[in-house]
Amino acid sequence: MTELAQERRLVTSIPGPKSQELLARKSAAVANGVGVTLPVFVTRAGGGVLEDVDGNSLIDFGSGIAVTSVGNSAEAVVRRASAQLADFTHTCFMVTPYEEYVEVAEHLAELTPGDHAKKSALFNSGAEAVENAVKIARAYTKRTAVVVFDHGYHGRTNLTMALTAKNMPYKEGFGPFAPEVYRVPLAYPYRWLTGAENCAEEAATQAIDQITKQIGAHNVAAIVIEPIAGEGGFIEPAKGFLPRMAEFAKENGIVFVADEIQTGFCRTGQWFACEDEGIVPDLITTAKGIAGGLPLAAVTGRAEIMDAAHPGGLGGTYGGNPVACAGALGAIETMKELDLPAKARRIGEIMLGRLRGIQEKFEIVGDVRGRGAMIAIELVEPGPLLPEGGRGGRTKTPNAAAAAALAKACHAEGLVVLTAGTYGNVLRFLPPLVIGEDLLNEGLDIIEEAFTRL
Ligand SMILES: *Cc1c(COP(=O)(O)O)cnc(C)c1O
């Protein structure tokens, strides 16, 4: 097979005729509920590009939603997963185990924050990992309540729908939802009414007040939080908020769960986003970037908490599938060899620099934020600048139409970007960490042109 050229190449309109034919077949055969962001049917992918059935090559700023951090079909992932496929595909770890599962758990113990004794359990999807973290926290604390945050996203199963904040499209019509889930404020600096400088302190005080007054801290099994809210719009909680919540959890015997499914495995410029403020979570959930595109998820945490669930209480037929585990070992090997945390930081520097330039020029850019290769811009309605001028004077009215139009314009030019946010007004960028800087800059040029033409 020939090397995949690391270039953008458009030979048809997007989507091309073959993709459109496939889209018609998709519409006839696949449930409407399974939506598609950009109906370009992919045949090959790697590095920073996706090649489609029409021969187009698109720049990838999505990584299949923060999954292919090591690149698509990364060499070590393919090598190790292929060898595993040839050896055996499945035994069920709960029936007759295998070394690869144990080895992934050993890596997780070594790589996640904190030097305490840790154990892991492996699953197939992020939602499943979050569900199991809640099961484990309940078994350990013998309490039932779970605290989550505004703008949080934790999955699409029944319990994780309850944990997820946003109704449309995740929850609408799918209730009733699991009980004993309580939502408290998140320190969202850009939208904090009394200003970003008050955000951490006030949000933490409100959250803790609600927990103690409305639930009773002694009833809370777990506080579950994303260190940077992903689907919620790449909201980095104001500094100081996460440490306050972690401290509160510790003082009250509550299991502090960091949902690092999107932020974990080098994405934000560190192995885990919690490290940024020195947080050591009791449990950490991982998935997405863990296995270079193969379905794998994990709960990792303090051995005494992880062991609270009785033997047989955790598991699943496919959880920690050997091929997925081999993929994870290949992905972790790649992350270490290529120092992907450093690559993510470099991507962040380039993107934030360029996007802040765009922010200066276009008043609909309300906020540019994120860490490493997890960067977003929040779009607002144009409006008169207040007398003090500058950014502070812009309106903050969410502009979802602009996000949709910009995404569409980028797609037409062969750049895959995603939208996000509670208000649907966030453009988010999650390039593979192995993307070349020329492709990264070309993608940013396309974004800038899209603003100019809007
Ligand atoms: C994607 C995501 C999930 C759900 O993962 P799935 O593999 O889609 O079930 C949970 N939490 C966060 C933070 C996520 O980004």
Side-chain angles (χ1 to χ4, degrees), residues 82-104:
S82 305
Q84 183 58 48
L85 266 173
D87 286 344
F88 66 94
T89 52
H90 173 84
T91 62
C92 185
F93 188 78
M94 302 179 304
V95 177
T96 48
Y98 37 88
E99 183 178 353
E100 290 75 11
Y101 187 119
V102 179
E103 209 180 329
V104 170

Side-chain angles (χ1 to χ4, degrees), residues 181-199:
V181 173
Y182 301 87
R183 192 172 312 288
V184 298
L186 176 74
Y188 187 169
Y190 176 66
R191 292 198 172 275
W192 199 255
L193 286 176
T194 57
E197 62 286 2
N198 303 313
C199 178

Side-chain angles (χ1 to χ4, degrees), residues 379-440:
L379 298 153
V380 293
E381 295 290 346
L385 299 182
L386 297 177
E388 68 268 27
R391 271 194 260 164
R394 294 181 189 194
T395 77
K396 289 193 178 178
T397 312
N399 190 347
L406 287 162
K408 202 173 158 205
C410 290
H411 294 165
E413 290 301 316
L415 175 68
V416 179
V417 297
L418 308 172
T419 58
T422 296
Y423 313 101
N425 65 328
V426 174
L427 267 184
R428 58 166 160 171
F429 311 117
L430 295 158
L433 306 183
V434 296
I435 194 171
E437 286 191 15
D438 44 349
L439 278 183
L440 187 66

